[in-house]
Amino acid sequence: MISPTSLIPQVAEQMRRYPGLLAALAFVSGVASYILVERKTALAQLIAILLLVSWLWLWLDNWLQERLQQRFGVSISPTLVRFTLQFVHQESLFFALPFFLAVTSWTHGQAVFTLLIIGCALVSVIDPLYYKKLAPQRTLFVVFHAFTLFIVLLIILPVLLQLSTTQSLQVALAAAVLLSLPALGPLLPNGRWWRAPVLLLLLSVLSAGVWLLRSYIPPAALRLTSITLSHQVDAEQRKPGQNITQLDEHSLHKQGLFSFTAVKAPRGLHEAIYHIWLQNGIEVDRIKLAINGGREQGYRAWSHKQNFPANALGKWQVKVVTESGQLIGLTRFTVTPANAELASKVQPQPEAQTDL
């Protein structure tokens, strides 16, 4: 019978000899986890728990090693710990990446954030970069570690605890900033009375900076499955009319516009979103809607805007955003000068509607 003490060195040696297998396993595992999270709520919660446990294990690594040595006489190989840490980074990044790829607006600053995740995922699977460039740089490595935890929490907190996107962002940011504390310590001399206040100030500045840039962080738990601008909505069937990308000013004032959206969210998640109407880059209206997660095709909600400026000419956008201002998606339309043809009349409808 193979004992754990002899098995662990064998596993470590195989991981050292075939590092590519570790990267391939992490990639396949991450993508498979994404598919399971998308399809089964119970499996999504299980995967979320396993990821949290793995991160907790890494956090308590030294303490656990001492207890295992004292109680069972088992010493965990540093090589095994090193490869396990790399595997957790790879698994976390490849688990998170499909979520962010699915929700990123590539014409928006969100693309920078998602490209950063792609870059980190590549670094985690290229050993010369991970072990020779990243790992020796303690400050950079801790920041890499904190960033990986940050993006994982953005996904699993709404799934596991049904936290809203804003709440998940706040909790993930707090966890990542606290985890970054060891990276800031070596930047300041020991034994100085102002060390602690300056560390707190650095953490506050770091938190404030990320929070101010939150609009560039895609809300990974929410996905805009459709957005349509139309003159009418079938309230019974909950379907929009023909999509409009250009209309004249007379039709706009006469009939108004419906912004019909379907937003997919984890089951059990209750989220407030906003339809923000902008004319030539300037916000002219903000309409609040509420969604409930769990619908396969997304929770359908719409707003009906009829009060447009007297001069409505120009390029318009309708942005769908979270309470914290994270962009879920957007659509555009153009208003041209009025022509002689009048638009047909429609019955007035409520300003905002959602599924029951």
Side-chain angles (χ1 to χ4, degrees):
M1 181 176 180
I2 300 177
S3 65
T5 54
S6 62
L7 181 61
I8 290 175
Q10 294 178 26
V11 172
E13 177 60 22
Q14 292 301 315
M15 293 169 67
R16 186 190 66 80
R17 292 179 59 187
Y18 305 104
L21 291 178
L22 184 67
L25 179 61
F27 174 77
V28 173
S29 177
V31 174
S33 299
Y34 167 76
I35 295 172
L36 292 175
V37 167
E38 284 285 282
R39 295 181 179 275
K40 296 291 183 180
T41 302
L43 288 174
Q45 293 174 341
L46 176 61
I47 291 169
I49 292 172
L50 290 175
L51 276 175
L52 283 179
V53 168
S54 69
W55 277 96
L56 181 62
W57 180 83
L58 290 175
W59 214 339
L60 301 176
D61 176 48
N62 292 332
W63 181 85
L64 288 174
Q65 286 194 55
E66 293 176 1
R67 294 300 179 273
L68 286 173
Q69 178 68 32
Q70 293 173 2
R71 187 172 182 84
F72 302 104
V74 176
S75 178
I76 300 178
S77 167
T79 302
L80 180 62
V81 173
R82 182 184 65 178
F83 278 110
T84 301
L85 180 59
Q86 183 188 20
F87 179 77
V88 172
H89 284 157
Q90 292 173 348
E91 165 68 14
S92 300
L93 290 165
F94 284 113
F95 164 74
L97 186 56
F99 286 93
F100 285 96
L101 288 174
V103 301
T104 298
S105 296
W106 294 100
T107 57
H108 187 265
Q110 289 180 345
V112 176
F113 187 85
T114 302
L115 288 173
L116 180 59
I117 299 176
I118 294 173
C120 289
L122 290 175
V123 168
S124 73
V125 298
I126 301 175
D127 285 356
L129 290 178
Y130 186 85
Y131 289 113
K132 295 182 180 180
K133 300 296 183 181
L134 177 65
Q137 305 295 324
R138 184 175 182 272
T139 298
L140 186 60
F141 188 76
V142 172
V143 171
F144 181 90
H145 188 68
F147 177 72
T148 305
L149 176 61
F150 175 67
I151 64 172
V152 169
L153 288 176
L154 289 178
I155 298 169
I156 65 178
L157 288 175
V159 173
L160 190 61
L161 301 178
Q162 279 79 53
L163 296 183
S164 70
T165 304
T166 300
Q167 292 169 336
S168 298
L169 180 60
Q170 292 168 342
V171 173
L173 178 59
V177 168
L178 289 176
L179 192 62
S180 300
L181 186 59
L184 299 176
L187 300 178
L188 300 174
N190 290 316
R192 300 297 178 90
W193 65 268
W194 45 263
R195 177 183 171 87
V198 170
L199 279 175
L200 291 175
L201 178 61
L202 287 174
L203 287 175
S204 300
V205 171
L206 181 61
S207 302
V210 175
W211 182 255
L212 290 174
L213 296 173
R214 64 189 181 276
S215 63
Y216 294 93
I217 302 174
L222 301 177
R223 181 187 306 171
L224 188 68
T225 58
S226 69
I227 180 168
T228 303
L229 296 173
S230 179
H231 283 313
Q232 57 187 359
V233 166
D234 187 330
E236 293 185 359
Q237 298 294 324
R238 285 171 167 73
K239 292 182 179 179
Q242 185 177 2
N243 186 50
I244 294 174
T245 57
Q246 182 173 311
L247 73 165
D248 63 72
E249 194 173 17
H250 175 80
S251 299
L252 182 69
H253 285 294
K254 189 70 173 179
Q255 299 177 277
L257 272 180
F258 286 91
S259 175
F260 182 96
T261 55
V263 179
K264 189 174 182 180
R267 185 176 301 278
L269 180 64
H270 300 274
E271 182 93 13
I273 63 171
Y274 291 84
H275 286 181
I276 300 180
W277 296 73
L278 301 100
Q279 180 188 16
N280 299 319
I282 300 173
E283 181 177 332
V284 297
D285 207 352
R286 179 182 292 251
I287 302 174
K288 184 177 181 178
L289 302 168
I291 61 171
N292 295 320
R295 286 184 56 90
E296 185 67 26
Q297 300 303 321
Y299 194 83
R300 295 166 294 182
W302 61 89
S303 60
H304 184 200
K305 181 170 175 57
Q306 295 175 298
N307 183 23
F308 286 90
N311 180 12
L313 299 177
K315 297 184 180 300
W316 285 76
Q317 290 183 346
V318 179
K319 292 184 177 180
V320 186
V321 302
T322 66
E323 284 188 295
S324 61
Q326 291 175 269
L327 180 67
I328 304 174
L330 61 85
T331 188
R332 297 178 174 86
F333 67 98
T334 303
V335 178
T336 60
N339 53 37
E341 184 180 355
L342 300 180
S344 60
K345 295 182 179 180
V346 296
Q347 295 297 322
Q349 301 190 47
E351 282 294 310
Q353 292 279 352
T354 61
D355 273 334
L356 299 177

